Amino acid sequence: MKIELYRHCLGHDEIEQAMDALQRPLLCSSDRVTRLESGLAQVLGVRHCVAVNNNTNAITLALHALDVGRDHEVILSPLSPLETVSAIMHAGAKPAFVDVEPDTGNINAERIEASITPQTKAIVPMHLYGQMADMAMLREIADRSHLLLIEDASHCLEGRREGVRPGQLSDAACLGFHSTANISAGQGAAIVLNDSDLAQRLRRLRNLSVSETQADRCDCLHMPCDIDALGFDSEMDDLRAALLLPQLRRIEELWSRRDEICKRYEKAFDRIENVYFPRVRPGSKSARNLFTIWVEASRRHEIIQQLGERGVGTGVFFRPLHLHTYLRQELGYQPSDFLVAESIGARSIALPLYPDLTQPQVEYVIEQVRAVV
């Protein structure tokens, strides 16, 4: 049996929407993008949503719109995606890492205040694997220290903690629709927020700071455009919105199946010695973006290799950012600086998780993990 780490769930509705988009004169932003933005805002209970073309640009635009840049520091977890730290550094700011909780892998809010300096401008918590960080505590810390709070919610569209959803307590939250996202278009992202002025600024920034959309600019009735600031070429195209809209309508159905699979994994792996996994905190709903097990670091490579030989696809999410060669050289971090993140990073193995995974396939994954470990 061959079981991939991930398979998308695009079907007839997505193909039909994509075909309709392909028959239009232009593939740039359209009313379909606007409908996606409205739908996402409604799902998350926020006032605004600004769709963009990828995760890196979502973080970049949020930082830029909130004036985070040169001579600023931004606090984040070492277990964040590369696109997050890339956006921070391209903005001219300096990443400042804070270690993580041992049972979730999320940033440890209790350690943040000790890392705040006069240069600190923002906190960017990553909601790892789909479980929200402690946003209530993070909001309190940000308010006390007059800091911005920007969520990396690329794993966490359906997440909830103590009744709070992404975008509800922060200045902005960035969602991702990358290849392994819960609803996927291969690429694409969105920024959700409640501040109307900030939303308007984001809409201009994503479109090179031009007030008209690409579709407007292709209409000969419009006058030549003008800009009053530098922006980014970051609009979401019509084709990606066409793929995302049908998935958004099935969001709870897709989540329910992933949750069912994760609960089966948790029940099985709770009984296997030397296999651990992140725990979902009480009062939380995990978006169930990834299911990872944590094994002995000395055996991780061997286990991945043997699972692959048995047809089970795996992945590693994430290598701690401060251990990457470029970031070590640029920022001066060393191994052992963030021991909890390093331990999780050295032990993690992501297992197959997607709604079309059949029950026999789930049981096969469990059997092979049990046999190998």
Side-chain angles (χ1 to χ4, degrees):
M1 189 179 289
K2 173 68 175 176
I3 305 173
E4 296 90 349
L5 173 64
Y6 184 81
R7 289 183 66 89
H8 65 69
C9 294
L10 306 181
H12 175 76
D13 289 345
E14 288 80 10
I15 292 170
E16 192 175 72
Q17 287 267 0
M19 289 298 293
D20 180 69
L22 290 171
Q23 291 169 13
R24 303 291 179 93
L26 297 170
L27 285 176
C28 53
S29 295
S30 69
D31 65 319
R32 195 178 266 114
V33 175
T34 304
R35 284 188 280 124
L36 175 67
E37 291 174 330
S38 297
L40 285 164
Q42 184 174 2
V43 164
L44 291 169
V46 296
R47 293 177 63 189
H48 302 286
C49 175
V50 181
V52 297
N53 56 357
N54 62 54
N55 293 13
T56 305
N57 280 343
I59 299 285
T60 298
L61 287 169
L63 294 168
H64 195 86
L66 289 163
D67 297 318
V68 179
R70 196 166 302 281
D71 300 324
H72 293 146
E73 292 180 357
V74 177
I75 290 174
L76 73 161
S77 157
L79 295 180
S80 296
L82 283 167
E83 50 261 40
T84 307
V85 74
S86 295
I88 290 167
M89 295 182 75
H90 279 303
K94 178 182 177 181
F97 298 120
V98 169
D99 214 344
V100 301
E101 300 169 335
D103 59 335
T104 68
N106 277 329
I107 193 167
N108 190 332
E110 295 179 356
R111 297 191 175 198
I112 286 177
E113 287 185 288
S115 298
I116 295 172
T117 73
Q119 287 72 47
T120 305
K121 179 75 170 181
I123 306 170
V124 181
M126 169 67 187
H127 302 317
L128 191 64
Y129 309 143
Q131 180 168 204
M132 288 186 73
D134 190 344
M135 287 303 299
M137 181 178 285
L138 290 170
R139 184 72 266 173
E140 290 178 10
I141 293 169
D143 288 344
R144 277 199 302 271
S145 300
H146 308 290
L147 301 177
L148 298 164
L149 188 55
I150 304 168
E151 298 170 74
D152 183 340
S154 56
H155 285 190
C156 201
L157 176 57
E158 306 93 331
R160 183 182 289 111
R161 182 164 177 163
E162 296 171 357
V164 173
R165 301 292 301 273
Q168 293 183 345
L169 286 184
S170 60
D171 296 284
C174 300
L175 310 171
F177 311 124
H178 48 277
S179 295
T180 59
N182 289 357
I183 62 172
S184 173
Q187 275 290 6
I191 307 163
V192 292
L193 66 161
N194 284 310
D195 186 309
S196 298
D197 291 338
L198 181 59
Q200 185 61 26
R201 187 175 185 194
L202 285 165
R203 289 190 181 99
R204 286 182 66 94
L205 282 171
R206 74 172 171 184
N207 189 29
L208 297 166
S209 291
V210 177
S211 57
E212 296 92 354
T213 66
Q214 288 186 41
D216 290 336
R217 298 202 300 274
C218 290
D219 185 340
C220 293
L221 296 177
H222 279 76
M223 298 297 291
C225 66
D226 187 24
I227 63 170
D228 56 10
L230 287 177
F232 301 84
D233 187 8
S234 302
E235 283 190 301
M236 177 181 282
D237 61 77
D238 197 36
L239 188 55
R240 297 197 191 284
L243 295 175
L244 290 166
L245 273 169
Q247 295 175 79
L248 186 60
R249 290 194 289 268
R250 296 187 292 136
I251 189 170
E252 282 303 311
E253 172 194 338
L254 297 171
W255 174 85
S256 294
R257 177 56 185 153
R258 290 196 313 274
D259 185 54
E260 185 179 296
I261 294 167
C262 288
K263 286 177 177 174
R264 177 67 188 110
Y265 280 159
E266 289 169 345
K267 182 177 180 181
F269 297 140
D270 213 22
R271 302 171 182 172
I272 302 178
E273 189 175 356
N274 295 324
V275 174
Y276 307 91
F277 50 85
R279 302 290 173 165
V280 178
R281 290 289 180 90
S284 294
K285 172 188 176 181
S286 172
R288 301 297 202 181
N289 178 250
L290 292 166
F291 189 90
T292 62
I293 56 172
W294 297 336
V295 300
E296 293 179 55
S298 61
R299 293 199 61 212
R300 200 252 304 263
H301 178 74
E302 167 204 343
I303 291 169
I304 288 174
Q305 188 173 36
Q306 290 191 34
L307 288 173
E309 290 169 357
R310 293 162 182 257
V312 177
T314 58
V316 173
F317 300 92
F318 295 104
R319 183 184 185 193
L321 291 171
H322 69 287
L323 299 183
H324 286 269
T325 300
Y326 175 79
L327 296 174
R328 285 206 323 270
Q329 292 172 347
E330 286 292 308
L331 303 174
Y333 287 111
Q334 299 294 326
S336 79
D337 281 347
F338 305 102
L339 291 174
V340 182
E342 290 171 33
S343 173
I344 291 172
R347 296 184 293 130
S348 68
I349 301 175
L351 297 178
L353 175 62
Y354 41 93
D356 287 344
L357 205 60
T358 67
Q359 210 54 38
Q361 288 175 320
V362 172
E363 297 305 323
Y364 181 81
V365 172
I366 291 168
E367 290 168 13
Q368 300 318 307
V369 171
R370 182 180 289 118
V372 168
V373 175

